[in-house]
Amino acid sequence: MKTLKILYGLGLTGMMIFNQSCTNLDSTVYDRADASNFPATESDLNAVIGSSYGTLRSFVDDPFVLQETTTDEVVVPTRGPDWYDDGRWQQLARHQFTPVIPSNINGAWEAFYRSIANVNINIGTLKESNVANKENTIAELRGIRALNYYYLVDLFGRVPILTENSPAGNPRQSPRDSVFYFIEKELKEAIPLMRNENSVAMYGRMSRGAGHALLAHVYLNAGVFTGTPRWAQAAAEADSVINSKLYSLSPNFLDNFAVNNDRNGSRAENIFVIPYDKTFATGNTFQLRTLHYALQQKYGLANSPWNGYCTYADFYSTFSDQDARKKMWLAGPQTGPDGRVIQYDDRVDGQRHDVNFTPEINALERALAYQGVRFQKFEIQANNLITSQDNDFPIFRYASVLMTKAEALFRQGKVAEALPYINQIRKRAGVADFTASDMTLDNLLKEYGREFAFEGRRRTDLIRFKSFTEKAWQFKPVTDSKYNLMPIPATQRNSNPLLEQNPGY
């Protein structure tokens, strides 16, 4: 898989070459490349699509921040002089966003539209080329574009729809339901042309299974996006993945997030991932975001961790000791090579403390450095002398398809039919099956949390379950329903006066 990660990390190179003049002194000099002749080979084609897939790596930055640190799952306390950052982490935790701050909102908007712009350029290039089987690749690119719009319609509601055919100039927003119908149409047209395989060659690419998984999630949230639920369609799309027999649950839950999850067999479950490589496709820095500063030597890291991301005590308490998924957390005393508990001097109270991760966090504004259980769902790459890690980030797993099927059936009142799907996941976790009486909305939401913590989807799930603004948790009261949508960033409205602000902002 290393070659694939290099491709995604350096995919822009092909497009850069395409946009430059040919200056071979031994042949005729051209001042313009012939679009019909590029891409002409499989290598050229991979360079084109690699650039589009590479744009997705920004998901673990600002989009991830909005999807997780606004929820009951991830919190970033201010610890003395660290993690204040213009107050953004406190604003995110308390739902106090504005069109100006935190800047992560504008960062997410730009990340998705940067990816869409790249896809549009590459689709236009492919449409003019004579390369064989270009229809399959164009279908992949439309899937990437649809994925970006799925996140945009989820976060912002009304957004501009831009394709390779859009005219120049400032675009207007489309109504939220129109964006939903655009995504639906794109995927329904593209999925039949996507490659129907789960292979090394299609790892990290938009296969037909990934297309169906994306459309299943789009339908799962249709009630939020359009006001009209589409549970039956969500179940049908999930069935398309299940009935393909191309995917299955990994025996070991944490294998899906291991450093070598591109080659340890987890491809059976990881339907669509964003590939990362510590050298060629950088960006996965979760180990630095969550670990305590004093753990640098224990793990042999080149850089001191930042001691930021942790979870709430109430969320941590939803995991029983029998649940294999509880191993995703780093809790309790942390020992060094000598077997002794590591100690440090805290800059909040000036005292010396053990590095003993506790579920309790005493204050959002002034937390002690050991407070908060940490994430190790993405295996920490020990003795790594580079900032980034090699773990690939799953966007759609077979487990998420099974949960989609279970929820879609449950929402239609088909409880008995839903149980086998959710119980496959619980069996893998080593916990007791749900019975019909266990199948409640509250328990279903908790199961989503246990299975998909730290995978960039918690905000979406909470909104669908009417729990994002309607419910309170530590540091966050019940908040105004306007916060179910992010504000349209002021930066974007300043550059495009046609953009209208979301209600309440």
Side-chain angles (χ1 to χ4, degrees), residues 108-166:
W109 177 286
E110 291 189 343
F112 293 127
Y113 275 108
R114 193 161 50 240
S115 181
I116 288 167
N118 181 283
V119 167
N120 289 342
I121 290 171
N122 287 341
I123 289 178
T125 299
L126 284 173
K127 283 185 173 180
E128 294 183 17
S129 78
N130 295 322
V131 67
N133 300 318
K134 67 180 181 180
E135 293 80 9
N136 303 115
T137 303
I138 290 173
E140 283 185 55
L141 292 170
R142 291 175 76 181
I144 298 173
R145 186 168 63 191
L147 177 64
N148 282 294
Y149 275 111
Y150 167 64
Y151 288 122
L152 282 167
V153 75
D154 177 38
L155 285 165
F156 297 102
R158 297 176 299 159
V159 296
I161 298 175
L162 300 174
T163 71
E164 72 279 9
N165 298 317
S166 295

Side-chain angles (χ1 to χ4, degrees), residues 230-276:
R230 302 279 286 271
W231 307 121
Q233 290 91 333
E237 291 301 319
D239 276 339
S240 295
V241 179
I242 295 167
N243 294 338
S244 74
K245 307 296 185 184
L246 293 175
Y247 307 97
S248 60
L249 292 179
S250 297
N252 183 345
F253 170 72
L254 289 176
D255 280 352
N256 295 304
F257 316 96
V259 168
N260 64 339
N261 62 344
D262 59 342
R263 56 187 185 277
N264 67 353
S266 64
R267 179 165 51 85
E269 178 166 350
N270 287 339
I271 299 172
F272 182 70
V273 304
I274 302 175
Y276 288 89

Side-chain angles (χ1 to χ4, degrees), residues 133-142 186-196 202 206-208 212:
N133 300 318
K134 67 180 181 180
E135 293 80 9
N136 303 115
T137 303
I138 290 173
E140 283 185 55
L141 292 170
R142 291 175 76 181
E186 282 284 287
L187 289 173
K188 291 180 77 170
E189 291 178 358
I191 287 171
L193 297 173
M194 293 175 179
R195 294 168 177 84
N196 189 29
M202 286 304 293
M206 189 65 67
S207 65
R208 192 177 300 176
H212 282 301

Side-chain angles (χ1 to χ4, degrees), residues 316 319-330 376:
Y316 180 66
F319 292 77
S320 69
D321 289 340
Q322 294 74 38
D323 195 326
R325 296 169 296 192
K326 195 172 186 178
K327 294 179 181 178
M328 76 173 72
W329 306 107
L330 196 60
Q376 58 175 356

